[in-house]
Amino acid sequence: MPSFQITMQKPSLLLALPPRALWTNSWKYYAYTQFCLPGSARSIPKPLVQLAVDKGYRIAEGNEPPWCSWELPLIYSYIQDVYWNVGFLRYYELKQVPNFLLAAPVAILVTWGTWTYVTTHPWLCLTLGMRRNKSDETLEKPDPGFLSPRVFVYLVHAAALLLFGSLCMHVQVLTRFLGSSTPIVYWFPAYLLQHQEPLLRSLETVPWKPLAEDSPPGQKVPRNSIMGLLYNWKTCSRVTRCILGYFLTYWLLGLLLHCNFLPWT
């Protein structure tokens, strides 16, 4: 009997899983019972059967699919491989260039952030954070911001997600994949804005509080930092305009397209 079926027969293991993991594994087990166990499939209405035949889909009452004989019979892996063409470098086709362009900004942000961190703390990255160089004062008095040694684990996680998503996934989902999985996507742009935008110069004791006296003459800095940048858009640095322009454009287009059932990620 497959190990997957044995695992699902233990209620204590199911109860120990998080709600999302519980739902995902329950769905996979249900698919296993419907497609792989004899006599367990429910009757399918004839219109749906005809639709499956026309589309070339496999129905539960048909022959046993190949994934049922796997050591770990997971239907989702089979669907990704056969129907979605998910795999290593499979998405690298000329027709997918627009999708790569859509994912390019977030990929550039994570890559740039990784490079900035590695070049700032080479010894920390080389030793995977397990040994500290006593001659490095930045490690004895860590920066509380993006370049803090505590950020290292998040950066490794983000870099691994970027590498996996770029090579083995449909690249158009890379933005939401990284945006919902790692804070680096937001921490590094904030770091760039803080260190490269004059309007966001701040006191050491009160970070992120913009100083009106540090801003160029004739400009106003509202209490909200982002609104201050938007208010003085024309005089912002190129980096600031690129970052804010990307996030605002992505938010606006995503809101309009997704709500109208148009492709967006």
Side-chain angles (χ1 to χ4, degrees):
M1 183 177 296
S3 59
F4 178 74
Q5 189 176 6
I6 294 176
T7 302
M8 296 304 298
Q9 289 179 347
K10 296 181 179 181
S12 59
L13 294 179
L14 286 177
L15 295 176
L17 292 173
R20 181 174 182 139
L22 178 61
W23 162 253
T24 303
N25 288 282
S26 300
W27 173 79
K28 292 176 182 178
Y29 177 67
Y30 174 77
Y32 176 81
T33 61
Q34 294 297 301
F35 284 90
C36 302
L37 299 183
S40 59
R42 299 181 180 180
S43 59
I44 304 175
K46 291 184 179 180
L48 292 181
V49 174
Q50 185 60 43
L51 177 63
V53 173
D54 296 340
K55 296 290 186 178
Y57 298 155
R58 185 186 297 274
I59 60 176
E61 296 177 350
N63 297 328
E64 183 179 286
W67 60 271
C68 290
S69 58
W70 292 357
E71 183 177 355
L72 193 62
L74 300 178
I75 186 175
Y76 194 63
S77 300
Y78 178 78
I79 292 174
Q80 287 185 312
D81 179 37
V82 176
Y83 296 103
W84 296 353
N85 195 34
V86 174
F88 181 68
L89 297 182
R90 289 188 184 180
Y91 216 61
Y92 281 71
E93 300 174 332
L94 187 61
K95 64 180 180 180
Q96 302 299 345
V97 169
N99 287 324
F100 277 90
L101 293 178
L102 183 64
V106 71
I108 292 174
L109 279 177
V110 175
T111 303
W112 189 3
T114 303
W115 175 256
T116 301
Y117 194 93
V118 171
T119 54
T120 304
H121 297 309
W123 177 255
L124 175 70
C125 298
L126 184 63
T127 59
L128 301 180
M130 293 183 288
R131 295 184 60 184
R132 291 189 174 186
N133 188 355
K134 294 183 179 180
S135 62
D136 192 350
E137 296 181 359
T138 60
L139 295 182
E140 298 300 324
K141 298 179 180 180
D143 190 330
F146 174 75
L147 297 180
S148 169
R150 296 183 178 182
V151 176
F152 176 71
V153 62
Y154 296 98
L155 199 75
V156 173
H157 178 245
L161 292 180
L162 175 62
L163 186 64
F164 175 76
S166 301
L167 300 179
C168 303
M169 293 174 55
H170 289 182
V171 75
Q172 70 264 26
V173 305
L174 190 63
T175 301
R176 74 166 183 257
F177 179 61
L178 292 174
S180 61
S181 303
T182 172
I184 298 298
V185 176
Y186 312 102
W187 287 351
F188 183 63
Y191 165 81
L192 291 177
L193 292 178
Q194 187 181 22
H195 287 77
Q196 298 192 22
E197 181 52 56
L199 290 175
L200 292 180
R201 291 175 182 169
S202 57
L203 292 173
E204 295 181 359
T205 56
V206 188
W208 292 105
K209 183 179 179 181
L211 298 178
E213 57 269 20
D214 289 338
S215 60
Q219 291 184 338
K220 297 181 180 179
V221 182
R223 296 181 64 182
N224 185 287
S225 301
I226 300 301
M227 292 303 299
L229 296 177
L230 295 177
Y231 187 84
N232 301 286
W233 176 267
K234 293 183 179 180
T235 56
C236 289
S237 65
R238 180 178 300 178
V239 173
T240 299
R241 283 182 285 179
C242 288
I243 292 175
L244 294 183
Y246 167 68
F247 279 99
L248 290 175
T249 302
Y250 191 91
W251 167 76
L252 181 59
L253 289 180
L255 181 64
L256 295 176
L257 296 178
H258 185 72
C259 293
N260 289 280
F261 303 99
L262 295 174
W264 190 251
T265 181

